[in-house]
Amino acid sequence: MIDAAKYASQGSTINAPDGTCLFSPGDESRAFLIVTKGHVRVEQTNAEGRTMVLYRVHEGESCVMTTSCLLGARPYSGYGYAEGPVSALAIGAETFKRLLAEDAAFRDMVFEGFTQRLGELTDVIDALLLHRTDLRLAAWLANRGDGAVEMTQQDIAQEIGTAREVVSRTLKSFEREGWLVLGRGRLQVIDAGALAIYAKSQAV
């Protein structure tokens, strides 16, 4: 967690409405961003057009892709979208580098967040490589608990990194088991416990 207020004098505040594309592949990273309100969804799209959500940047956090681009002087390789209205403190590239060199507390916060996010990305890669799609989907739904999921099947496919058709087929099988009820643009989880058991018991 980065205390944005402590470094407010080092940058400027930016505001973005819901759905704004904050960066896209090929863009140059010009500032270190600390989210102060809302969430930023970071995702990647492959050559076939399939999109996967990599992580979300929450209040008090920074984006590891932005940090990597600043440190390596390389362009963005993914997309960042505002989920709801987003406010952030933008610290220019030169000021960011100066703070890294001169402010030990700032440097520790930046690299602690960087390390944590890399660990999360490793978990995402592990899940893609080692687990079946139905198990990933069952675990993802179980983690949300019983209740409504106001997302389309395409949105869910992007969250777990697979095709919409695969999600549709798997959700229908879960519905037949009585674990959820499908609706238009939404679903209702009615037995998160059973989904959690399935995700664990079927894992090889």
Side-chain angles (χ1 to χ4, degrees):
M1 181 75 70
I2 300 175
D3 184 0
K6 181 178 178 180
Y7 297 97
S9 63
Q10 304 292 332
S12 58
T13 299
I14 62 171
N15 298 290
D18 179 37
T20 299
C21 181
L22 300 170
F23 56 81
S24 59
D27 288 350
E28 180 183 352
S29 180
R30 300 179 182 276
F32 178 74
L33 300 178
I34 305 171
V35 174
T36 56
K37 176 185 176 182
H39 309 95
V40 176
R41 182 181 75 255
V42 180
E43 58 188 42
Q44 198 128 23
T45 302
N46 66 14
E48 289 74 39
R50 183 175 298 172
T51 298
M52 179 174 183
V53 176
L54 299 177
Y55 57 86
R56 285 177 170 82
V57 186
H58 302 284
E59 184 175 329
E61 297 179 345
S62 59
C63 173
V64 68
M65 192 176 293
T66 297
T67 305
S68 177
C69 291
L70 282 170
L71 293 174
R74 55 188 301 173
Y76 283 100
S77 59
Y79 296 88
Y81 294 99
E83 287 193 327
V86 167
S87 296
L89 174 65
I91 299 175
E94 292 306 314
T95 302
F96 169 72
K97 292 175 183 177
R98 176 178 58 79
L99 286 171
L100 279 182
E102 299 176 358
D103 189 328
F106 180 82
R107 183 168 59 249
D108 289 346
M109 287 187 292
V110 168
F111 285 109
E112 180 181 349
F114 191 86
T115 301
Q116 179 179 342
R117 189 67 72 189
L118 283 179
E120 293 172 4
L121 286 172
T122 299
D123 291 340
V124 170
I125 294 170
D126 286 345
L128 287 172
L129 294 177
L130 302 177
H131 302 295
R132 295 177 352 213
T133 301
D134 59 332
L135 304 188
R136 296 205 312 274
L137 180 54
W140 185 84
L141 290 168
N143 286 336
R144 299 181 70 93
D146 290 340
V149 178
E150 303 287 347
M151 298 174 68
T152 67
Q153 293 182 6
Q154 179 61 45
D155 292 336
I156 295 172
Q158 291 181 194
E159 291 289 332
I160 67 170
T162 189
R164 184 196 62 78
E165 295 77 11
V166 176
V167 167
S168 178
R169 185 166 59 248
T170 306
L171 288 175
K172 287 176 182 176
S173 71
F174 290 169
E175 186 176 43
R176 288 194 295 271
E177 295 291 340
W179 300 337
L180 54 83
V181 176
L182 295 173
R184 179 180 291 273
R186 70 191 300 275
L187 61 86
Q188 184 82 20
V189 176
I190 57 179
D191 198 342
L195 285 163
I197 291 172
Y198 176 83
K200 293 178 181 178
S201 65
Q202 300 295 317
V204 177

